[in-house]
Amino acid sequence: MAQVPQRFFDALAVRTWCGLSLRALGWAREEIDAINVYPVADGDTGTNLYLTVESAVAAVEAVFAAHEVDGGTRDASEDRDTSGARYTSEDQDASGARPTADGPSLADAVGAMAHGALIGARGNSGTILAQLLRGMAQVFTERGDSAHTEGPSLRLALRHAATSARQAVAHPVEGTVLTVASAAADAADGAEGDCAEVARAAYEGACAALVATPGQLPVLERAGVVDAGGHGLVTVLAALVETFTGRAPGPVAVPHARVEPGGAGAGEERATGECAEEDGEGGPAFEVIYLLEAEDAAVARLRRRLDALGDSLVVVGGDGLWNVHVHVDDAGAAVEAGVEAGRPYRIRITHFGHGDAHTTGAERPPRERTQRAVVAVVPGEGLAALYTEAGATTLLARPGEPPASGELVQAVRRAHAREVVLLPNDADLRHTAAAAAEQARTEGVRVALIPTRSAVQGIAALAVHEPERRFDEDVVAMTSAAGATRHAEVTVAERQSWTTAGICQAGDVLGLIDGDVAVIGADVSEVAATVLDRMLSAGGELVTLVLGDEAPQAVADRLEARVREAYLAVDTVVYRGGRQGALLLVGVE
């Protein structure tokens, strides 16, 4: 369907731009991954940019959904006034005003876009892109509650974006995405006219700068490629042009890396040649990324501390929330520096490892795929360690921060197997997991999705996993084990609400059995005991208890004693789940 062009940069244009950017990066992801040679040749720039924009899209859609619930609905190509009359961008008056009272403001939309990108930023280029979007958002939010903006403000936003991104990088290097962003802003400065003209000029300026990057950065010239992050930014700017014109500009002709034949699966192409290191020296062993709640003064000290520890330092954000990215040899020291500065969370540490990111293509034989792997979403560090010990590839999901489909796909790729059993361990992730499984299948991976609704069901499935038997037989056995496991959790109500067990107040202890509230009480141990009794009334041979960080050990001790006294033929096993959200997870097999 043809894209309806937007005349002005308003909330609807933000939504359209984000959606088009995500689609374009989805198409270009593998191509961008394949030319990723700087700062390390880890072949994930396209994927990281996609995940960053996916997070921005989710945040923008949430803002629109909130307004649709509050009063009226609209989609990406049309709006309705308060009487219900339909109109499109053609109905704007000469001043550009349009009846968007039932939708989010421009400030709402760009703020959500920037925040979503910030909390979802992945990798070096994704972190820089998040700051570019934040820089643009700062210009538009300064306009207050203005419904839209025009060409001059878009020019100013592109300039501020390039400047703020460069300031976020400890040691800016030319021939990278920073150069492409500056060139886009320079070209936009010389454009006259509306948003479409400004966007087109920025795109053309970025394209010219991208083609020139090999001449600015020797590692790119040796590999015969352009900068991968710059390529991603050009893709995002092309989506901006399409937002205002209704059609995507023609692709820019750029040199690409030669991809090693055989061995590597889809999304794992690697550039050949001596391009993974500069001057023959390997870089740091770890990539460390985390979100950080901290004051500006503490972040300034953190920048100096991390700059002394490693390289590729990018710190983006503001207003108390930051995204920190750095390459170091001492990952623990990088995290400790964050602890000293404030509260780090969503910590991701990637080991580049021997023979991958810092070795040359000639020295790096393609890694052979394993036959089968289990990929599981887990809600706490303790469970992640348990699953990993059992041989699974894990994706950590923080409370209230469910993973996106792109993160699940990335976990499947990380498992590097021909066959994958996917355990979402959350009923709310079934559609996300299905989308990830479908994407992985298009990349040649055989994927079976077992619809586990709790981590305790995943534990039961993993316990009967046998990689040596036929794939279908293994999946049937794991599915049967998960399905035979009843699950429950004990948690604390955050607000007053109607439940299947009656009205609960904020602070009440809730016992949920198979997803429904069954018990409301004031004492954690009492509620947990009641839940366990109800579950065992239908029989069972094994009780699995997973305690969260905030649950006292006394709860598990009491439940174990209860099982020993009242259910003689039932065994109990207890695990520490970490920061899993719920106080207690219960499984009965």
Side-chain angles (χ1 to χ4, degrees):
M1 183 176 66
Q3 174 61 43
V4 177
Q6 308 299 315
R7 290 185 178 180
F8 303 100
F9 199 81
D10 59 4
L12 187 56
V14 173
R15 186 188 202 185
T16 302
W17 181 32
C18 288
L20 291 175
S21 294
L22 185 65
R23 184 183 69 180
L25 286 170
W27 289 338
R29 179 189 58 77
E30 291 187 15
E31 179 182 354
I32 297 172
D33 282 347
I35 64 171
N36 174 203
V37 300
Y38 183 85
V40 290
D42 46 357
D44 62 358
T45 292
T47 299
N48 286 337
L49 289 169
Y50 180 88
L51 292 173
T52 301
V53 174
E54 185 178 46
S55 182
V57 168
V60 172
E61 289 301 321
V63 167
F64 271 85
H67 280 270
E68 288 168 357
V69 169
D70 290 340
T73 61
R74 58 183 189 170
D75 61 29
S77 62
E78 65 182 47
D79 291 298
R80 300 173 188 272
D81 63 20
T82 54
S83 68
R86 178 178 298 183
Y87 68 96
T88 69
S89 57
E90 296 303 317
D91 297 311
Q92 294 164 317
D93 63 24
S95 68
R98 44 187 208 167
T100 57
D102 62 338
S105 67
L106 173 59
D108 289 337
V110 295
M113 173 187 70
H115 180 74
L118 176 67
I119 65 174
R122 302 290 191 276
N124 190 69
S125 294
T127 307
I128 293 173
L129 177 61
Q131 187 66 9
L132 287 167
L133 297 179
R134 177 178 172 81
M136 293 185 69
Q138 286 174 327
V139 171
F140 296 133
T141 53
E142 287 174 359
R143 297 177 59 88
D145 58 357
S146 174
H148 72 277
T149 191
E150 302 185 37
S153 291
L154 182 58
R155 287 199 300 269
L156 183 61
L158 291 167
R159 170 57 62 196
H160 187 62
T163 301
S164 61
R166 190 169 288 269
Q167 291 172 343
V169 177
H171 301 284
V173 175
E174 297 306 325
T176 65
V177 62
L178 298 175
T179 305
V180 176
S182 295
D186 291 343
D189 284 344
E192 300 292 338
D194 57 13
C195 288
E197 292 301 319
V198 173
R200 187 179 294 108
Y203 169 75
E204 292 172 353
C207 288
L210 178 65
V211 173
T213 54
Q216 297 172 295
L217 201 55
V219 66
L220 301 179
E221 186 174 27
R222 289 197 298 270
V225 300
V226 297
D227 179 66
H231 193 335
L233 179 57
V234 165
T235 302
V236 171
L237 289 173
L240 185 63
V241 174
E242 185 176 0
T243 298
F244 295 119
T245 66
R247 62 178 60 184
V252 60
V254 296
H256 293 90
R258 180 165 55 88
V259 176
E260 293 179 0
E268 294 174 325
E269 300 88 341
R270 291 178 172 146
T272 61
E274 296 181 4
C275 55
E277 50 189 275
E278 293 215 63
D279 303 323
E281 298 182 1
F286 297 95
E287 178 185 59
V288 178
I289 305 174
Y290 50 80
L291 292 178
L292 177 70
E293 293 178 356
E295 300 297 325
D296 289 3
V299 172
R301 292 191 296 271
L302 175 66
R303 289 179 191 268
R304 294 191 292 271
R305 173 85 180 275
L306 294 179
D307 194 25
L309 286 175
D311 60 29
S312 298
L313 173 61
V314 185
V315 181
V316 304
D319 301 321
L321 180 62
W322 309 82
N323 191 304
V324 179
H325 170 280
V326 67
H327 294 174
V328 293
D329 281 319
D330 189 344
V335 175
E336 288 172 6
V339 173
E340 292 176 4
R343 186 179 78 88
Y345 61 104
R346 292 185 67 170
I347 301 168
R348 294 179 177 85
I349 300 175
T350 302
H351 184 206
F352 293 127
H354 174 72
D356 53 10
H358 295 292
T359 58
T360 66
E363 296 170 340
R364 182 180 58 235
R367 181 161 64 99
E368 182 65 25
R369 286 180 178 272
T370 59
Q371 181 60 33
R372 189 175 308 159
V374 176
V375 174
V377 180
V378 290
E381 298 89 342
L383 280 171
L386 175 66
Y387 272 73
T388 300
E389 185 178 353
T393 297
T394 60
L395 176 61
L396 189 61
R398 298 292 186 189
E401 300 173 358
S405 61
E407 292 177 277
L408 278 168
V409 173
Q410 198 171 35
V412 171
R413 295 187 187 119
R414 184 157 43 91
H416 204 64
R418 298 181 183 90
E419 300 169 340
V420 169
V421 179
L422 185 57
L423 306 175
N425 291 338
D426 187 337
D428 292 335
L429 286 179
R430 61 187 184 280
H431 297 306
T432 301
E438 188 61 34
Q439 174 63 35
R441 292 184 188 112
T442 67
E443 299 178 4
V445 182
R446 187 181 185 188
V447 181
L449 171 61
I450 298 179
T452 49
R453 296 180 292 169
S454 170
V456 292
Q457 288 189 322
I459 291 172
L462 200 54
V464 300
H465 170 54
E466 292 185 14
E468 290 75 21
R469 66 182 160 200
R470 290 178 59 248
F471 184 66
D472 291 340
E473 293 176 354
D474 198 28
V475 171
V476 168
M478 294 176 71
T479 302
S480 177
T485 302
R486 299 188 68 196
H487 63 95
E489 68 177 81
V490 176
T491 189
V492 176
E494 296 181 354
R495 63 185 66 87
Q496 184 186 58
S497 179
W498 287 90
T499 76
T500 51
I503 300 176
C504 70
Q505 305 295 327
D508 283 349
V509 180
L510 307 180
L512 289 80
I513 299 177
D514 293 332
D516 294 322
V517 176
V519 183
I520 300 175
D523 181 77
V524 174
S525 294
E526 291 291 341
V527 171
T530 302
V531 166
L532 186 58
D533 283 340
R534 291 193 184 183
M535 295 180 74
L536 286 173
S537 65
E541 299 176 354
L542 175 66
V543 172
T544 300
L545 305 175
V546 184
L547 270 71
D549 270 354
E550 298 181 4
Q553 182 63 39
V555 174
D557 294 340
R558 175 175 177 178
L559 294 179
E560 283 188 284
R562 173 69 177 162
V563 171
R564 284 195 304 269
E565 295 168 1
Y567 308 96
L568 300 180
V570 179
D571 294 324
T572 305
V573 59
V574 180
Y575 302 109
R576 275 284 177 182
R579 291 174 290 180
Q580 63 186 23
L583 296 173
L584 175 70
L585 300 178
V586 182
V588 173
E589 302 175 47

